[in-house]
Amino acid sequence: MLFSQSSKELFDGKDYTPFLCGEESFGTGSDHIREKDGLWAVLAWMSIIANANKDVPANEPVVTVKDIVKKHWKKYGRHFYCRYDYEGVESGAADTLVDRIRELFVDGNIAENAPSDNTGIDLIHAEEFAYEDPVDGSKTSKQGLVLQFKNSLGDTSRVVFRLSGTGSSGATIRMYLEQYEKDSTKHDESAPIALRALADRAISLVAMQEITGREKPTVIT
């Protein structure tokens, strides 16, 4: 993002130069590039690849994106990401689902409302995300309902529900999934497969099918 004014003029004398902006923090959690954050991701990866190949002789194979991420996963483990979109959901049903999550899990008793089952994936915490802008002090609330889980091995994961595009034409319910995997034998799994059990557990807890009538998402990315 470029400004015709300096950052000092815009932000009460505070200098935020260089001022860098990237939608969705240049997230690269899918197998294709989407929207404006895709441009930021391409530029970021071009920089990473250039640096990784700076000492590679001209007659040697170049270091690829796959090489870089495989090395990273081997050292740190892999975070799997996936998103389920339920598009065109009746607005009243979408609101009911969000209210249910808020009432039962954020404000309610998790032990009573989300008892353990045979999946081994237990809900351990729930909150509604909000933040205060460090630049202008503005506060933004109701930015997503976060459900945190723990599996039988003690590893944690999370699922975030958000509404998008509510109105007369319906709403889109977005379910974001994130799970850490340290077992290197599972690092080559596709994200939808690796996260299927977590997705099924979350969908069951929030009663997605019962409330919206949807048996499956419109799209998975």
Side-chain angles (χ1 to χ4, degrees):
M1 182 179 292
L2 300 177
F3 298 105
S4 59
Q5 299 169 285
S6 71
S7 63
K8 285 186 177 181
E9 291 177 283
L10 290 170
F11 301 112
D12 299 325
K14 293 184 179 180
D15 189 1
Y16 290 95
T17 304
F19 201 100
L20 301 177
C21 298
E23 186 182 17
E24 297 183 13
S25 302
F26 89 83
T28 55
S30 187
D31 59 356
H32 62 286
I33 301 300
R34 298 186 62 172
E35 304 167 358
K36 294 186 290 296
D37 56 309
L39 301 178
W40 178 243
V42 169
L43 293 173
W45 271 108
M46 287 175 66
S47 177
I48 293 169
I49 292 171
N51 185 72
N53 284 281
K54 64 182 180 180
D55 297 322
V56 177
N59 60 338
E60 294 292 328
V62 298
V63 179
T64 65
V65 172
K66 183 177 181 179
D67 296 329
I68 294 169
V69 296
K70 287 274 191 177
K71 183 178 179 180
H72 180 88
W73 293 345
K74 184 177 181 180
K75 183 175 182 178
Y76 299 104
R78 180 180 177 182
H79 277 84
F80 284 98
Y81 301 93
C82 191
R83 190 178 90 189
Y84 284 34
D85 284 3
Y86 296 82
E87 299 175 352
V89 176
E90 194 274 320
S91 295
D95 289 337
T96 297
L97 183 128
V98 168
D99 289 341
R100 171 188 170 84
I101 298 172
R102 188 178 292 119
E103 178 182 347
L104 293 183
F105 310 129
V106 176
D107 299 328
N109 187 313
I110 290 177
E112 293 180 0
N113 297 323
S116 299
D117 64 2
N118 57 10
T119 65
I121 303 173
D122 293 334
L123 179 62
I124 59 173
H125 180 70
E127 63 181 342
E128 188 156 19
F129 180 67
Y131 68 91
E132 181 175 337
D133 193 302
V135 176
D136 62 17
S138 61
K139 296 180 180 180
T140 306
S141 60
K142 297 184 177 180
Q143 292 300 294
L145 294 155
V146 185
L147 305 183
Q148 184 175 351
F149 295 86
K150 180 180 289 187
N151 64 21
S152 57
L153 298 176
D155 296 325
T156 57
S157 56
R158 64 179 176 177
V159 179
V160 181
F161 288 90
R162 290 191 67 191
L163 292 186
S164 176
T166 55
S168 58
S169 60
T172 296
I173 299 173
R174 286 182 171 152
M175 182 178 74
Y176 301 81
L177 302 114
E178 177 186 0
Q179 179 174 290
Y180 173 73
E181 181 57 68
K182 58 188 174 186
D183 184 351
S184 60
T185 65
K186 298 180 180 179
H187 288 170
D188 289 330
E189 291 183 357
S190 67
I193 293 176
L195 296 170
R196 180 62 185 271
L198 176 63
D200 288 346
R201 176 65 164 143
I203 289 169
S204 175
L205 279 177
V206 304
M208 178 71 75
Q209 183 174 347
E210 294 85 346
I211 293 174
T212 67
R214 301 297 181 89
E215 295 183 0
K216 60 182 180 179
T218 310
V219 62
I220 298 175
T221 55

